[in-house]
Amino acid sequence: MNRTDLTLRDCHPSREPLLADLLAGLRSRPKLISPSYFYDARGSQLFDAICELPEYYLTRTESAILETHAADIARCIGEDALLVEFGSGASTKTRVLLERLPHLAAYVPVEISRSHLMDAAQRISSAYPQIEVLPVCADFTLPFNLPRPHRKATRTIVFFPGSTLGNFDPPAAVELLRLMSSIAGPDGGLVIGTDLVKEPAILRRAYNDTAGVTAEFNLNMLRRLNREFGADFDLNAFEHQAIWNAADARIEMHLISTLAQSVTLAGQRIEFAAGERLVTEHSHKYTLESFRAQAVAGGWTARQVWLDDRGYFAVHYLEASMV
Ligand code: AVI
């Protein structure tokens, strides 16, 4: 099958709302920029590099759980389902499930980066020619319509690995879980990975790696704003910092302004005091209970959970709650 055989459903948002969000965040206190701005081409490469770092246990721990329990997870998903992956990226973790799901009605990767999406969809389609692949280019935090597979699906399963839910503050996380539940429908299921609360030193190390890749990933956001939005951030005048906020059970990534400075973005002047922080990401860590409470609020009932031996990470299977 060549690339043109894959039909893309394109729901990519326009630039205006992005710019408005960006400016609103830079005018708030503390200043904030959504972590979604991390993922330009270089940011995506840096994130892939983070996933390989010795300190960043999340990716390899979740992959090991998926591999160890793939047969059980596939049993929960069942045959002839429609598997919809939110923020599919390179679709790497999906493969372990696809191996066990030869009768899947279709695989629907949903990803905002069109080039990432189409490359991954092409690779999956070549590796699993019996599975229909229906890529959707969309911001998965906004409602989108599912494409219709050739073969009727028995049910819809949302797959959301990576603990990306943790990058949403609790109300937004609940809203996203609700959106997933409305997309999956009344017989739907959710397979989701969540990073767990653990020894703070382990968490801090994971976001302050010695090679400085996470610092580069954090600063790259400013490089992107300079390139795409005509901003003039001086990358040498900001420093990466990742702290553990125990009260809110989250790692917070900040960029600290090392001096008093003003930055221009889209013709607007933004003042930074020396030492002022720009919040670029929250990465919430869960207990099984805290995640389940959030899932219930989002319209889901927990059915199964799989952990690694150290209890660092959890993969949950949930079903849509009866209403
Ligand atoms: C994508 N997300 C789950 C990552 C995380 O761990 O919160 C993003 C990341 N930020 C710094 N390192 C990785």
Side-chain angles (χ1 to χ4, degrees):
M1 192 188 261
N2 63 43
R3 191 179 175 129
T4 50
D5 291 321
L6 286 171
T7 311
L8 170 71
R9 176 165 293 213
D10 206 332
C11 315
H12 203 288
S14 70
R15 162 142 314 179
E16 281 70 26
L18 294 180
L19 183 57
D21 286 355
L22 202 51
L23 286 168
L26 285 168
R27 286 197 195 104
S28 70
R29 266 172 202 268
K31 292 183 172 63
L32 311 162
I33 303 185
S34 157
S36 60
Y37 290 99
F38 281 136
Y39 302 97
D40 62 355
R42 182 168 161 73
S44 300
Q45 277 171 3
L46 286 165
F47 180 64
D48 289 347
I50 287 174
C51 293
E52 302 287 324
L53 291 170
E55 297 96 333
Y56 195 76
Y57 59 85
L58 285 80
T59 312
R60 74 181 69 86
T61 307
E62 182 180 44
S63 295
I65 297 171
L66 289 170
E67 268 157 36
T68 308
H69 300 286
D72 274 356
I73 299 170
R75 244 191 311 279
C76 290
I77 293 172
E79 298 206 342
D80 305 299
L82 186 70
L83 186 68
V84 182
E85 181 170 1
F86 274 45
S88 48
S91 296
T92 313
K93 291 173 191 158
T94 330
R95 287 174 174 252
V96 67
L97 298 182
L98 297 181
E99 298 286 344
R100 302 283 198 305
L101 296 163
H103 300 294
L104 212 57
Y107 168 55
V108 180
V110 183
E111 167 61 46
I112 198 156
S113 159
R114 194 177 292 110
S115 56
H116 234 68
L117 173 70
M118 293 313 280
D119 288 349
Q122 182 55 49
R123 283 197 299 271
I124 292 291
S125 177
S126 308
Y128 305 92
Q130 79 286 9
I131 296 177
E132 190 180 6
V133 179
L134 297 166
V136 173
C137 183
D139 172 348
F140 63 70
T141 63
L142 303 172
F144 60 90
N145 291 322
L146 284 179
R148 204 190 293 267
H150 281 116
R151 224 154 37 78
K152 197 170 158 20
T154 46
R155 62 197 296 239
T156 299
I157 303 289
V158 173
F159 181 43
F160 195 39
S163 199
T164 305
L165 187 73
N167 295 135
F168 293 80
D169 285 342
V174 169
E175 206 179 304
L176 180 56
L177 288 162
R178 283 211 189 104
L179 175 67
M180 289 173 173
S181 144
S182 80
I183 284 186
D187 300 321
L190 170 63
V191 176
I192 184 168
T194 59
D195 194 17
L196 299 175
V197 172
K198 58 185 64 62
E199 177 62 44
I202 298 169
L203 290 166
R204 279 193 218 101
R205 266 201 300 277
Y207 293 83
N208 289 291
D209 62 281
T210 51
V213 183
T214 309
E216 190 50 37
F217 173 71
N218 202 3
L219 284 162
N220 182 61
M221 186 187 265
L222 302 184
R223 190 178 284 119
R224 178 182 190 180
L225 299 186
N226 287 350
R227 190 185 60 246
E228 291 186 20
F229 296 90
D232 59 359
F233 283 98
D234 174 0
L235 271 65
N236 294 314
F238 288 88
E239 269 172 12
H240 162 76
Q241 191 183 69
I243 59 157
W244 170 241
N245 172 341
D248 294 313
R250 67 192 186 204
I251 286 283
E252 296 186 4
M253 294 239 295
H254 301 155
L255 287 167
I256 312 290
S257 175
T258 56
L259 43 100
Q261 55 182 322
S262 65
V263 173
T264 310
L265 188 144
Q268 309 280 318
R269 232 169 110 119
I270 320 276
E271 301 295 338
F272 283 87
E276 184 173 352
R277 57 196 61 232
L278 167 59
V279 180
T280 51
E281 185 178 66
H282 289 162
S283 191
H284 293 84
K285 309 302 170 187
Y286 299 88
T287 61
L288 297 184
E289 298 69 31
S290 70
F291 171 69
R292 283 176 185 156
Q294 201 167 79
V296 166
W300 296 98
T301 304
R303 294 286 183 221
Q304 291 240 34
V305 64
W306 300 273
L307 303 185
D308 59 295
D309 293 344
R310 296 182 296 187
Y312 276 15
F313 201 94
V315 174
H316 302 258
Y317 168 66
L318 304 102
E319 289 179 348
S321 307
M322 301 288 184
V323 273

